[in-house]
Amino acid sequence: GAVVSQHPSWVICKSGTSVKIECRSLDFQATTMFWYRQFPKQSLMLMATSNEGSKATYEQGVEKDKFLINHASLTLSTLTVTSAHPEDSSFYICSASRTGYRSTEAFFGQGTRLTVV
Amino acid sequence: GQQLNQSPQSMFIQEGEDVSMNCTSSSIFNTWLWYKQDPGEGPVLLIALYKAGELTSNGRLTAQFGITRKDSFLNISASIPSDVGIYFCAGNSGGSNYKLTFGKGTLLTVNP
């Protein structure tokens, strides 16, 4: 149990285009999902907290108009990188906490490698 | 903000050796989690700790929640080549905020 699926696993896009990344909890409901960004050989940096049915809470320094987050159901959250630029190239990872369980026990997706050319 | 100091930054060991890594925090945490991340993959939860002093094992892995609630360690016994990866500690300070603060990771290399 507690499987989180992230799609796509990698994507290459042209500068100026938008990219959508999906995060699904396959066998549990997730009231809260988190989006992280990870640079090579570095730790995970929290970008935003996504709560089902409400607006996401962004960390300081993260542009909410650039990184659009939608959490429309208890099993799906999406991150859209709008007007992507090369500096947005990174590894993006989502995590989900199981509703009704110890919510701090977060499970991660496989990650999405975004390359903007 | 909260900071987690994880050490060592990297380790090179021989197969069969035991490994120990730890994390310390500048503030109290209610939850400590240990994750392993393979290259190009998301982190996988290894052990979750919820009570000060708690000692929990998962196979060859053992982790403890420090009694001061500001530290935790992870031990790996009899290491094998597939233990290679980056190990992260993560902590949560509780309340309605479920956010995790991550350590910078320990890169483990196991020589066969």
Side-chain angles (χ1 to χ4, degrees):
Chain A
V3 178
V4 176
S5 178
Q6 194 171 334
H7 179 79
S9 56
W10 61 270
V11 57
I12 301 173
C13 71
K14 290 186 177 181
S15 186
T17 62
S18 295
V19 174
K20 180 186 284 188
I21 302 170
E22 293 187 347
C23 181
R24 295 181 183 271
S25 54
L26 298 185
D27 53 0
F28 66 98
Q29 292 185 330
T31 304
T32 304
M33 291 186 174
F34 301 89
W35 287 95
Y36 296 83
R37 185 173 181 177
Q38 186 178 32
F39 292 104
K41 298 184 179 180
Q42 294 192 19
S43 188
L44 287 77
M45 291 176 47
L46 180 64
M47 298 174 65
T49 303
S50 169
N51 292 299
E52 186 267 336
S54 64
K55 290 184 178 181
T57 302
Y58 290 82
E59 294 300 299
Q60 191 173 8
V62 178
E63 299 177 60
K64 61 181 180 181
D65 294 331
K66 180 168 188 60
F67 299 99
L68 301 179
I69 292 173
N70 183 278
H71 194 156
S73 76
L74 286 173
T75 60
L76 173 64
S77 176
T78 61
L79 168 68
T80 301
V81 182
T82 63
S83 186
H85 289 99
E87 57 264 31
D88 297 325
S89 298
S90 188
F91 193 54
Y92 293 87
I93 314 174
C94 70
S95 73
S97 299
R98 290 185 289 187
T99 303
Y101 285 75
R102 287 164 160 165
S103 296
T104 49
E105 205 168 282
F107 298 89
F108 285 83
Q110 307 96 313
T112 297
R113 171 74 58 194
L114 170 63
T115 302
V116 184
V117 297
Chain B
Q2 295 171 331
Q3 294 184 357
L4 280 184
N5 295 312
Q6 185 172 350
S7 65
Q9 190 174 0
S10 62
M11 301 182 73
F12 298 84
I13 62 171
Q14 292 297 124
E15 182 177 1
E17 292 183 352
D18 298 341
V19 171
S20 183
M21 58 192 80
N22 69 85
C23 276
T24 58
S25 169
S26 57
S27 57
I28 290 174
F29 281 145
N30 288 344
T31 302
W32 282 97
L33 305 172
W34 284 92
Y35 289 89
K36 182 191 177 195
Q37 185 178 28
D38 291 327
E41 300 286 334
V44 174
L45 180 63
L46 299 174
I47 292 179
L49 303 161
Y50 295 97
K51 290 171 57 177
E54 180 180 355
L55 182 70
T56 298
S57 294
N58 178 7
R60 295 178 294 106
L61 278 62
T62 302
Q64 185 160 29
F65 192 143
I67 57 175
T68 66
R69 296 166 65 190
K70 291 185 178 181
D71 64 298
S72 176
F73 71 75
L74 173 71
N75 287 342
I76 304 174
S77 63
S79 59
I80 59 178
S82 61
D83 290 335
V84 167
I86 302 177
Y87 292 79
F88 290 102
C89 63
N92 173 269
S93 56
S96 60
N97 180 351
Y98 302 137
K99 293 194 295 186
L100 295 176
T101 300
F102 279 83
K104 294 189 175 181
T106 296
L107 173 61
L108 178 63
T109 302
V110 180
N111 295 317

